[in-house]
């Protein structure tokens, strides 16, 4: 159906007091929603990335604090060449409850220092 026919039909409907929206009205609303989505979605995704990085930084500080408490109590840092072994040792010794999830990479561990490999 051509646009002219749609406009003519909409005018006829209005003359008869029929309820409903014209095609052009619906398309205008869809266009406004699409424009809003284009503007808002990237900001939401950027906020999610920032939240993940902030969570990882917080977990990293918690792990490093647990390592320092372990060192203070035992006189040495957790043994192991990787983060999983050090985290397991911290869990078994009661310094943390469970392994924190790294949202933006993976945990690294060397010489008593935790890090994040992104």
């Amino acid at each position: 159906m051509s646009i002219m026919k749609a406009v003519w039909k909409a005018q006829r409907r209005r003359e008869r007091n029929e309820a409903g929206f014209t095609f052009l009205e619906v398309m205008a609303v869809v266009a406004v929603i699409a424009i809003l989505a284009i503007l808002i979605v990237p900001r939401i995704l950027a906020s999610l990335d920032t939240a993940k990085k902030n969570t990882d930084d917080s977990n990293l500080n918690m792990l490093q604090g647990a390592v320092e408490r372990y060192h203070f109590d035992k006189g040495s840092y957790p043994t192991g060449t990787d983060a999983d072994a050090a985290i397991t040792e911290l869990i078994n010794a009661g310094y943390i409850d469970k392994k924190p999830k790294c949202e933006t990479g993976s945990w690294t561990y060397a010489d008593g220092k935790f890090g994040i490999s992104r």
Side-chain angles (χ1 to χ4, degrees):
M1 173 173 7
S2 72
I3 294 176
M4 290 303 293
K5 282 184 180 180
V7 171
W8 179 74
K9 198 173 186 180
Q11 288 174 346
R12 236 183 32 185
R13 187 181 315 131
R14 285 189 183 131
E15 289 171 5
R16 293 184 295 192
N17 291 330
E18 289 184 16
F21 298 105
T22 66
F23 176 74
L24 293 175
E25 291 169 335
V26 171
M27 291 309 296
V29 170
V30 168
V32 168
I33 291 172
I35 289 170
L36 288 174
I38 288 170
L39 295 174
I40 293 172
V41 168
R43 290 184 183 189
I44 291 172
L45 294 177
S47 296
L48 290 175
D49 288 341
T50 301
K52 287 179 180 181
K53 287 178 184 174
N54 289 343
T55 299
D56 282 348
D57 290 342
S58 176
N59 285 338
L60 181 62
N61 288 335
M62 182 268 308
L63 283 173
Q64 196 58 46
V67 165
E68 295 304 324
R69 286 190 311 277
Y70 182 96
H71 181 261
F72 181 78
D73 291 343
K74 309 254 183 195
S76 64
Y77 289 108
T79 58
T81 57
D82 64 345
D84 286 334
I87 290 172
T88 301
E89 195 167 335
L90 291 173
I91 291 170
N92 291 340
Y95 290 93
I96 59 175
D97 294 329
K98 62 181 182 175
K99 179 182 179 184
K101 183 178 178 185
C102 187
E103 299 285 342
T104 60
S106 60
W107 299 119
T108 61
Y109 177 77
D111 300 323
K113 301 286 182 197
F114 274 98
I116 299 173
S117 172
R118 292 185 173 134

